[in-house]
Amino acid sequence: MVSKRGLGAGLIKDFEKIDNILNKVFSESDINISIKIRLGNENKEEIFNVLPIIDKYPIKNITIHPRIGKQKYKGEIDLESFKNCIENTNHKIIYNGNIFSVKNFKELAERFPTINTWMIGRGIFANPFLPEMIKDNKTDYPENKLEIFKKFHDTLFNDYQQALSGPSHIIIKMYSLWEYFIFLFPNSKKGLKKIKKAKNIEAFQNAVNIILNNE
Ligand SMILES: Cc1cc2nc3c(=O)[nH]c(=O)nc-3n(C[C@H](O)[C@H](O)[C@H](O)COP(=O)(O)O)c2cc1C
């Protein structure tokens, strides 16, 4: 894991290093920098050593995922610590973590009225229509949900075919997305197993078609 080597979430405890990196970047270039950070790697206090350092620099914004590195993507998000972060920085904060539904979003937006930018990760793959639903404050899917999804899926699939070499790499990559996409197709869990077992592109496409035609 990169965090064990002091990279990724592992960098957070070395706040002098973060200071040195930012000092060098801002003294030698004028590029826009934004930062994505967790509360810590080992514990949720680590970020409070880093925020005053970041405050010294003209960062564009800070995205905070209120978990610690050790949690990976599991366990509770810590909204109380996120609130403390907002109160301990002068920078614009973007919220990131566990937005899987319009309801999740609304609860967070109500709790953090000063936040006006939100980052969604896994929620987009579990429901690619979620940003539109949030923007339009609705929970129903568009009538041509399948058509739109298929276009999105096929674009990803075609681009991965260009970027990756060999069917197994492509299928593994697509399977990692399908682990989230399948939430859109709750009646087709068996189809996911077929995707996992697919040994070639034809078998992959057949499995996808079974899922889509089952809708
Ligand atoms: C499979 C996977 C790969 C990820 N890769 C990265 C990455 O390369 N860089 C990064 O900053 N965050 C990465 N993340 C973290 C996400 O950007 C995000 O912080 C995290 O998933 C929490 O947000 P969510 O609950 O909306 O998914 C990854 C997350 C997942 C699940």
Side-chain angles (χ1 to χ4, degrees):
M1 258 170 63
V2 295
S3 58
K4 288 200 178 130
R5 288 185 277 126
L7 303 171
L11 182 62
I12 198 167
K13 65 177 184 297
D14 201 347
F15 46 94
E16 282 178 13
K17 193 170 179 183
I18 295 175
D19 199 4
N20 290 339
I21 293 170
L22 291 175
N23 191 13
K24 198 163 169 56
V25 168
F26 282 105
S27 58
E28 294 183 12
S29 81
D30 58 0
I31 56 173
N32 282 330
I33 299 284
S34 47
I35 289 181
K36 179 149 173 282
I37 196 167
R38 289 184 181 231
L39 298 174
N41 190 34
E42 304 276 335
N43 70 70
K44 63 182 184 179
E45 305 303 327
E46 288 168 307
I47 192 168
F48 296 102
N49 292 322
V50 180
L51 290 176
I53 288 169
I54 301 179
D55 258 355
K56 297 194 295 178
Y57 298 96
I59 298 288
K60 206 171 162 213
N61 54 55
I62 310 173
T63 301
I64 299 179
H65 177 52
R67 280 196 173 95
I68 59 170
K70 284 196 156 177
Q71 286 179 278
K72 297 186 181 157
Y73 302 108
K74 297 194 188 107
E76 294 290 307
I77 41 174
D78 183 344
L79 298 180
E80 203 44 44
S81 295
F82 180 74
K83 180 171 164 274
N84 290 339
C85 292
I86 300 174
E87 289 163 1
N88 280 281
T89 178
N90 294 320
H91 287 301
K92 177 187 163 82
I93 300 281
I94 297 171
Y95 174 89
N96 165 241
N98 282 29
I99 301 176
F100 292 107
S101 68
V102 177
K103 184 169 174 280
N104 292 156
F105 171 75
K106 278 187 176 170
E107 284 167 2
L108 288 162
E110 208 164 288
R111 185 155 175 179
F112 302 113
T114 59
I115 301 295
N116 61 17
T117 312
W118 308 81
M119 179 188 284
I120 307 179
R122 293 162 301 167
I124 300 259
F125 288 101
N127 176 8
F129 302 96
L130 184 58
E132 185 185 327
M133 288 175 167
I134 288 173
K135 274 187 186 159
D136 297 349
N137 190 21
K138 62 177 189 192
T139 50
D140 48 334
Y141 292 96
E143 268 176 28
N144 54 346
K145 163 186 157 184
L146 264 187
E147 190 190 322
I148 297 173
F149 173 78
K150 196 172 170 348
K151 204 169 161 192
F152 173 56
H153 176 274
D154 291 351
T155 303
L156 287 169
F157 179 50
N158 290 334
D159 286 359
Y160 280 131
Q161 282 192 297
Q162 305 292 323
L164 301 174
S165 62
S168 59
H169 286 132
I170 298 160
I171 292 165
I172 287 168
K173 179 58 89 177
M174 291 306 293
Y175 174 72
S176 72
L177 299 178
W178 266 103
E179 284 185 296
Y180 294 101
F181 291 153
I182 202 66
F183 288 100
L184 277 181
F185 307 100
N187 302 326
S188 299
K189 297 257 162 68
K190 281 185 185 158
L192 187 62
K193 284 193 187 137
K194 283 195 173 17
I195 291 179
K196 193 176 185 184
K197 283 186 189 155
K199 294 267 182 291
N200 54 51
I201 296 294
E202 197 188 347
F204 167 77
Q205 284 176 314
N206 283 340
V208 171
N209 286 337
I210 290 171
I211 295 173
L212 298 184
N213 293 337
N214 194 24
E215 274 299 294

